[in-house]
Amino acid sequence: MISRKNASISKFIIHKVGNKFNDTKNAFSEKTVDFDEASYDLMLPFLLRPFGSVVQSYRFNHHANISLNEINTYSTQLFNDEEAFVEVSKHIVMHLYEQSNSANIKTGDVLVVMFEGIEFRDITKNAIGIFKIENKVNFFQTYLENNSYDVLVQKGINSKKVDKGCLILNQSDTEGNIIFSVDNNSYDTQYWLNHFLNIKYADDANNHTQQYIELCKDFSTEIIKQSYGAKEQNTFLAKTIDFFKENEIVNVERFKDELFEEDKHKREFDNYKKEFEDEQNLIIRNQFDIAEAVVTKEKRKIKTDIKLDTNIQIKLDIDAPDASTEYLERGYDEEKKMHYYKVFFNAEN
């Protein structure tokens, strides 16, 4: 996660990107924006706020040579020669335009920004931001005419969130420049991540933790819930999160020993893990460091509700992985020909 407390905008330009499939053209600015104080004070947090909660980072990717990655080349030019900012920003938009491989790709405003004072891992660097604004919102504008106020509807940028954005830090590790990306319109994520930016997750604890939790979530849905029910699914997820909270390192064999009592369940997990790796085109390490920030973020996303067709929901506490085993029983009533849950408790809160 980055810190923006000392960040500032040094250069900012707006272009329009079209779509070659519906014959809309690009439109380019020739000058950078000169902000007034009010606009600047609104724009800076609008652009950087989304990255304050982003945990996972990316690195540039290319099937042949990383130097052939277009955005990698353009960002290097911008870092090395700020005088070329306007022209290079146009090339970025033209590259984005060329990735419009579907009529469904939206046109919009493209903001190219040079930031200073971005802090990451206690290091302060400058960074390049590329943002695409796809959706405009309606707002009312009042105006004075003939001594009376009237109102009209105008379209503008929603200052609450960006549609798509990336932040390329002038800071690198053994894998290259550190990159963050956000996308609030995920219907065309591949177009933004794979085609335009051509980036991949960094080979670090954040990525390893994320992949493993995704594996466990999918396994719980496709195998445990289908075979053993929602109660067992939620128990498995709670125990998974508990394992990640209680350990600093994940060892897959130890994980299986703690979560599965029977060998057949371990084999089911191994088989599903291989299928998951094949489908996602990745290899999950058998041992890796745990990224606590990823665990915290993913924990908030996990739903542990048991939804019944009788309009009743049972919510389990993900922080109490043994509670459902001790205090929740599932059975079948022969007289009613219905399944039931029996809940044990001492007092109502």
Side-chain angles (χ1 to χ4, degrees):
M1 293 180 283
I2 65 142
S3 171
R4 57 183 172 90
K5 62 182 179 180
N6 296 317
S8 62
I9 296 172
S10 60
K11 291 184 183 295
F12 182 105
I13 197 165
I14 304 173
H15 303 297
K16 300 276 187 180
V17 65
N19 185 311
K20 58 187 175 182
F21 276 81
N22 55 29
D23 202 31
T24 52
K25 305 299 183 183
N26 298 329
F28 298 107
S29 297
E30 297 301 329
K31 295 181 180 179
T32 58
V33 172
D34 186 13
F35 287 103
D36 60 39
E37 184 177 354
S39 298
Y40 181 88
D41 289 345
L42 188 61
M43 183 62 73
L44 181 62
F46 165 66
L47 297 177
L48 291 180
R49 188 185 301 114
F51 299 102
S53 59
V54 173
V55 175
Q56 286 182 274
S57 63
Y58 295 84
R59 302 296 182 272
F60 284 119
N61 186 39
H62 195 276
H63 68 277
N65 190 316
I66 200 67
S67 64
L68 299 177
N69 180 298
E70 289 88 345
I71 301 301
N72 180 31
T73 299
Y74 296 143
S75 61
T76 300
Q77 289 177 324
L78 290 176
F79 286 133
N80 293 335
D81 182 11
E82 290 192 20
E83 295 301 317
F85 180 79
V86 174
E87 288 306 311
V88 174
S89 71
K90 293 179 183 179
H91 290 306
I92 290 173
V93 174
M94 287 186 282
H95 174 58
L96 180 61
Y97 177 82
E98 289 302 320
Q99 309 316 308
S100 302
N101 51 14
S102 165
N104 295 324
I105 301 296
K106 294 183 179 181
T107 60
D109 297 340
V110 179
L111 318 179
V112 182
V113 188
M114 181 71 77
F115 295 101
E116 295 180 353
I118 300 293
E119 185 177 319
F120 178 67
R121 295 175 181 166
D122 298 323
I123 298 175
T124 300
K125 290 285 187 177
N126 58 340
I128 295 160
I130 305 171
F131 305 87
K132 185 184 178 190
I133 309 299
E134 299 175 327
N135 298 312
K136 300 290 182 69
V137 297
N138 293 327
F139 66 92
F140 293 110
Q141 178 67 53
T142 59
Y143 64 97
L144 182 64
E145 186 176 35
N146 298 326
N147 296 321
S148 295
Y149 280 98
D150 206 341
V151 65
L152 56 83
V153 176
Q154 294 183 322
K155 283 186 176 292
I157 297 172
N158 185 345
S159 62
K160 299 297 183 183
K161 65 177 183 179
V162 299
D163 292 315
K164 286 176 167 58
C166 75
L167 197 63
I168 305 164
L169 304 188
N170 193 14
Q171 178 180 346
S172 60
D173 54 19
T174 56
E175 295 182 82
N177 283 83
I178 297 165
I179 306 162
F180 296 96
S181 180
V182 293
D183 188 352
N184 287 304
N185 295 334
S186 56
Y187 66 91
D188 57 358
T189 297
Q190 299 308 310
Y191 145 79
W192 179 254
L193 292 179
N194 293 348
H195 301 152
F196 171 57
L197 296 173
N198 193 2
I199 53 179
K200 62 180 180 179
Y201 279 122
D203 184 21
D204 59 11
N206 290 324
N207 186 35
H208 303 151
T209 303
Q210 179 77 38
Q211 289 175 348
Y212 202 85
I213 292 177
E214 290 295 333
L215 163 67
C216 292
K217 286 163 61 177
D218 288 2
F219 176 75
S220 75
T221 300
E222 297 184 20
I223 303 299
I224 297 180
K225 185 178 181 180
Q226 297 299 323
S227 301
Y228 308 106
K231 173 177 174 286
E232 294 301 324
Q233 176 196 20
N234 289 321
T235 299
F236 171 79
L237 288 174
K239 288 184 175 181
T240 296
I241 294 298
D242 191 60
F243 181 90
F244 274 78
K245 286 164 50 183
E246 296 297 324
N247 293 277
E248 295 182 354
I249 295 174
V250 166
N251 178 281
V252 173
E253 293 304 317
R254 185 181 167 204
F255 174 84
K256 291 188 296 183
D257 288 340
E258 288 200 17
L259 268 76
F260 304 114
E261 294 182 0
E262 299 184 32
D263 287 341
K264 71 172 185 177
H265 296 149
K266 295 179 183 179
R267 288 193 295 271
E268 286 177 334
F269 185 79
D270 286 337
N271 293 336
Y272 188 84
K273 177 174 174 288
K274 183 159 191 327
E275 292 176 8
F276 182 87
E277 289 173 324
D278 291 342
E279 289 176 3
Q280 301 293 325
N281 192 27
L282 54 83
I283 296 176
I284 294 177
R285 295 191 180 188
N286 290 323
Q287 183 165 304
F288 56 87
D289 293 334
I290 293 174
E292 184 178 345
V294 174
V295 177
T296 300
K297 187 174 182 179
E298 289 303 308
K299 174 187 167 184
R300 290 196 293 264
K301 296 180 183 178
I302 294 175
K303 306 298 182 183
T304 55
D305 296 354
I306 300 176
K307 297 181 179 180
L308 308 177
D309 59 4
T310 50
N311 298 319
I312 293 174
Q313 294 185 32
I314 302 172
K315 183 175 178 61
L316 305 178
D317 188 346
I318 197 168
D319 290 320
D322 296 323
S324 62
T325 302
E326 295 181 20
Y327 307 121
L328 191 65
E329 281 185 15
R330 190 176 191 272
Y332 185 80
D333 188 298
E334 292 290 348
E335 183 177 338
K336 290 188 175 183
K337 304 299 182 186
M338 296 175 70
H339 297 281
Y340 66 82
Y341 278 106
K342 183 188 291 185
V343 182
F344 296 91
F345 64 95
N346 292 313
E348 294 180 354
N349 292 327

